């Protein structure tokens, strides 16, 4: 580190020189109750069903000042068509943070089993700062939005400068708003929706980041918590840097599983007939691509580009042909990716908007404290790259959160009993099993439904063949949790099957 400190000092990047994004009124002062006005519903769009209604309600930017500045919260609804069986409302969240959820009622209306669907008015919403809910922006260029960067010693000073620049841009563009785009405030928004709808309690289905949002709601508003399903769990004890880092630790057993699967099919893929041989083939390909990038499907793939696709290895049936295609391309043979592989491997193109990134940074940087010293990030990145070679440096590297404001309030302790249902695939790239188990442990009284052998991120209704459908449906229709945790036999997933499902999809690119 002695070698690097003068470079950082010369660039104005040592810890003592960090200007923090200062939050106005940063304290953990009590938050006043807020009662939202009843929404004025209207048809969402001429080309959408008349039963799909939209509205906008006003909520406080800062709930400590309920009569102060307000922001818009866009909500949507599809009512139960069987009033005699209606139980209440179900709020929906697709994950993120930064994922829009306004259209979720449309998707769920088609996918939910009839006996579940008829019990609920389905309520979608864009979380504060996202989509149609007073969207935030940091004015970032697309190349500035990549927060998962590989470590190279010669690039670290520029990575620190990038992280600081992003925090500076966010402060300059939206510094009066971003400190209040947090999970706790979004949970308060959910309760404002409840009060606007005139409901005593809410039920909830949240995926990925939405599991943490739902868990926070159960702790802040336990008396208003009804039937909650938390699918693909975020461990509350890992927010948020620890959730990045769990991607690295859990990518390693997934990679080992892939080498075993692929070695058993050596005649088909030609990547090696033992797990070690498959591993050697992969790492030789990475080293080769670092020296001479591999052209495939309009990209030139470096070794870091290949490692960055660690989520691929949670789908062995997808990873093997993709690695084979890269190897063929490196050898000068005809090669191409399938549509599903392309979706997993090639970044999407389209109109540039940093709204999702800005909202995500606000939450992950503003929910909890991050280390302030660049030296710590470099030290831990070097350690984790050696410990978890596939992805360790991507997750432990410096992020804009190092230069963010200190949170306006502490993270939510999980101390109140929460009799809710958690759902998990055994092999999940974004919220790995250890994370889902951590959420289950944190919520006293919860039950877990585990799809053993299940692959992919997001389970209920996202994987139409998942074995979790029946136990989740039973809970949502009766309100009775299983007497004990449930383990069912999942079917190994494929990206093609999940992509073809008409059910809800998680934000892409998504974080949690």
């Amino acid at each position: 580190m002695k070698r690097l400190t003068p470079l950082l000092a010369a660039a104005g990047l040592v810890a003592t020189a960090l200007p923090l994004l200062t939050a106005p009124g940063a304290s953990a002062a009590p938050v006043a109750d807020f009662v939202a006005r009843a929404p004025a519903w209207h048809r969402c769009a001429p080309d959408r069903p008349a039963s799909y209604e939209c509205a906008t309600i006003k909520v406080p930017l800062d709930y400590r000042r309920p009569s102060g500045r307000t922001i818009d919260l866009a909500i949507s609804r599809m009512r139960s068509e069987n009033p005699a069986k209606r139980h209440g409302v179900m709020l929906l969240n697709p994950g993120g943070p930064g994922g829009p959820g306004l259209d979720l009622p449309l998707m769920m209306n088609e996918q939910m089993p009839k006996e579940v669907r008829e019990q609920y008015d389905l309520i979608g919403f864009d979380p504060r700062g996202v989509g149609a809910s007073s969207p935030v922006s940091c004015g970032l260029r697309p190349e500035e939005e990549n927060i998962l960067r590989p470590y190279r010693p010669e690039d670290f000073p520029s990575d620190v400068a990038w992280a600081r620049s992003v925090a500076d841009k966010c402060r300059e563009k939206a510094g009066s708003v971003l400190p209040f785009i947090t999970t706790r405030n979004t949970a308060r928004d959910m309760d404002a929706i409840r009060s606007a709808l005139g409901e005593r309690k809410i039920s909830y289905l949240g995926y990925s980041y939405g599991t943490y949002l739902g868990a926070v709601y159960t702790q802040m508003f336990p008396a208003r918590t009804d039937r909650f399903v938390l699918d693909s769990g975020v461990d509350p004890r890992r927010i948020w840097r620890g959730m990045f880092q769990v991607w690295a630790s859990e990518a390693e057993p997934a990679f080992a599983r892939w080498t075993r699967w692929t070695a058993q099919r050596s005649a088909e893929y030609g990547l090696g007939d033992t797990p070690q041989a498959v591993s050697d083939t992969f790492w030789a390909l990475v080293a080769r691509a670092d020296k001479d990038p591999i052209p495939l499907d309009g990209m030139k793939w470096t070794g870091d580009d290949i490692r960055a696709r660690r989520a691929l290895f949670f789908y062995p049936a997808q990873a093997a042909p993709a690695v084979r295609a890269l190897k063929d391309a490196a050898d000068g043979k005809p090669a191409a990716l399938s549509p599903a592989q392309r979706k997993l491997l090639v970044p999407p193109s389209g109109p540039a908007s940093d709204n999702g990134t800005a909202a995500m940074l606000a939450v992950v940087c503003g929910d909890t404290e991050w280390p302030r010293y660049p030296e710590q990030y470099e030290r831990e990145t070097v350690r984790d790259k050696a410990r978890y070679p596939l992805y360790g440096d991507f997750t432990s590297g410096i992020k804009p959160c190092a230069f963010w404001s200190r949170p306006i309030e502490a993270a939510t302790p999980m101390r109140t009993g929460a009799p809710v249902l958690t759902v998990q695939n055994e092999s999940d790239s974004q919220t790995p099993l250890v994370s889902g188990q951590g959420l289950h442990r944190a919520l006293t009284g919860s039950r877990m439904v585990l799809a053993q052998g299940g692959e992919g991120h997001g389970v209920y209704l996202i994987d139409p063949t998942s074995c979790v459908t029946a136990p989740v449906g039973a809970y949502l229709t009766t309100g009775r949790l299983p007497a004990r945790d449930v383990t069912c036999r999942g079917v190994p997933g494929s990206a093609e099957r999940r992509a073809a499902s008409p059910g809800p999809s998680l934000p892409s690119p998504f974080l949690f």
Side-chain angles (χ1 to χ4, degrees):
M1 194 59 229
K2 290 181 179 178
R3 168 191 57 79
L4 182 60
T5 300
L7 293 174
L8 294 174
L13 300 174
V14 292
T16 55
L18 305 185
L20 301 180
L21 193 98
T22 303
S27 74
V31 176
D33 284 336
F34 174 79
V35 178
R37 292 183 179 179
W41 295 105
H42 58 85
R43 186 172 181 172
C44 291
D47 61 341
R48 298 297 180 92
S51 57
Y52 176 49
E53 301 175 294
C54 288
T56 300
I57 63 174
K58 297 286 186 181
V59 296
L61 173 65
D62 181 356
Y63 276 88
R64 297 167 304 177
R65 300 171 178 84
S67 60
R69 181 179 174 183
T70 62
I71 58 174
D72 290 340
L73 200 65
I75 63 176
S76 61
R77 175 176 71 177
M78 295 196 78
R79 296 189 186 192
S80 166
E81 295 183 356
N82 191 339
K85 293 190 175 182
R86 181 186 182 276
H87 173 74
V89 298
M90 178 187 289
L91 272 64
L92 308 167
N93 181 274
L102 206 59
D103 282 348
L104 277 180
L106 274 177
M107 303 177 194
M108 295 297 189
N109 185 59
E110 296 298 323
Q111 289 302 109
M112 273 188 175
K114 181 177 182 292
E115 63 273 17
V116 177
R117 173 66 189 91
E118 64 187 4
Q119 291 204 21
Y120 300 96
D121 293 348
L122 301 180
I123 308 297
F125 65 103
D126 283 349
R128 58 169 48 208
V130 176
S133 293
S134 296
V136 293
S137 169
C138 291
L140 302 177
R141 301 187 304 274
E143 63 270 19
E144 294 177 300
E145 296 185 60
N146 178 22
I147 67 169
L148 296 168
R149 297 175 173 230
Y151 173 75
R152 294 181 182 273
E154 64 274 18
D155 293 337
F156 187 69
S158 64
D159 288 342
V160 176
W162 156 79
R164 182 178 183 177
S165 172
V166 168
D168 285 346
K169 283 191 171 185
C170 289
R171 179 184 65 248
E172 292 162 7
K173 183 83 171 178
S176 65
V177 174
L178 290 178
F180 303 100
I181 308 297
T182 63
T183 299
R184 284 179 64 83
N185 277 335
T186 302
R188 293 177 181 117
D189 292 342
M190 288 170 55
D191 203 57
I193 294 172
R194 177 201 60 77
S195 70
L197 297 177
E199 298 288 334
R200 188 172 63 87
K201 292 185 175 185
I202 61 170
S203 294
Y204 177 79
L205 171 58
Y207 296 92
S208 198
Y209 163 72
T211 66
Y212 180 63
L213 173 60
V216 168
Y217 186 91
T218 71
Q219 302 303 296
M220 294 178 68
F221 306 101
R224 299 166 189 171
T225 298
D226 198 1
R227 303 171 185 177
F228 270 47
V229 174
L230 308 180
D231 188 314
S232 305
V234 167
D235 186 346
R237 294 184 176 90
R238 295 177 186 264
I239 63 159
W240 281 111
R241 192 169 185 234
M243 280 303 303
F244 284 94
Q245 291 173 318
V246 79
W247 292 344
S249 62
E250 299 312 299
E252 295 299 319
F255 179 82
R257 172 172 166 254
W258 170 72
T259 63
R260 294 191 296 270
W261 188 95
T262 305
Q264 293 169 359
R265 296 159 178 81
S266 60
E268 182 176 357
Y269 297 110
L271 298 175
D273 56 6
T274 67
Q276 186 60 53
V278 173
S279 178
D280 290 345
T281 298
F282 173 82
W283 287 109
L285 189 65
V286 168
R288 183 174 175 180
D290 270 334
K291 293 180 180 178
D292 186 13
I294 301 169
L296 178 64
D297 266 34
M299 285 183 61
K300 287 198 170 183
W301 297 78
T302 67
D304 288 338
D305 291 330
I306 297 171
R307 291 193 302 119
R309 273 64 180 181
R310 54 93 203 171
L312 186 68
F313 294 98
F314 286 78
Y315 296 93
Q318 289 293 308
V323 174
R324 172 61 186 266
L326 282 163
K327 186 175 185 302
D328 285 348
D331 293 340
K333 300 177 182 177
L337 299 172
S338 72
Q341 291 162 358
R342 194 175 298 111
K343 184 177 179 180
L344 284 169
L345 293 171
V346 180
S349 58
S353 169
D354 75 334
N355 174 233
T357 299
M360 177 272 297
L361 286 172
V363 172
V364 301
C365 300
D367 271 1
T368 189
E369 189 79 25
W370 283 64
R372 298 289 172 183
Y373 298 96
E375 297 90 343
Q376 178 178 344
Y377 288 95
E378 185 178 39
R379 182 172 63 250
E380 294 180 4
T381 300
V382 171
R383 177 200 69 192
D384 288 348
K385 186 172 184 177
R387 195 181 277 175
Y388 312 117
L390 187 62
Y391 210 61
D393 51 328
F394 287 89
T395 61
S396 287
I398 195 161
K399 309 288 185 285
C401 302
F403 300 88
W404 214 259
S405 68
R406 287 183 168 82
I408 61 174
E409 55 184 327
T412 306
M414 301 287 149
R415 295 172 182 159
T416 302
V420 303
L421 192 65
T422 69
V423 183
Q424 190 72 32
N425 268 333
E426 182 179 17
S427 295
D428 181 335
S429 61
Q430 298 301 103
T431 51
L433 178 58
V434 294
S435 175
Q437 291 169 331
L439 174 68
H440 175 35
R441 284 193 301 269
L443 296 176
T444 303
S446 66
R447 294 288 184 269
M448 171 179 272
V449 179
L450 171 64
Q452 191 171 52
E455 295 175 345
H457 184 49
V459 197
Y460 181 62
L461 305 181
I462 292 178
D463 182 347
T465 65
S466 177
C467 62
V468 311
T469 302
V472 174
Y475 167 65
L476 288 175
T477 53
T478 67
R480 292 192 295 270
L481 286 170
R484 58 186 62 85
D485 292 346
V486 175
T487 299
C488 59
R489 173 56 61 180
V491 178
S494 73
E496 283 98 341
R497 188 182 75 223
R498 293 167 69 89
S501 169
S505 59
L506 301 188
S508 180
F510 53 80
L511 280 177
F512 306 105

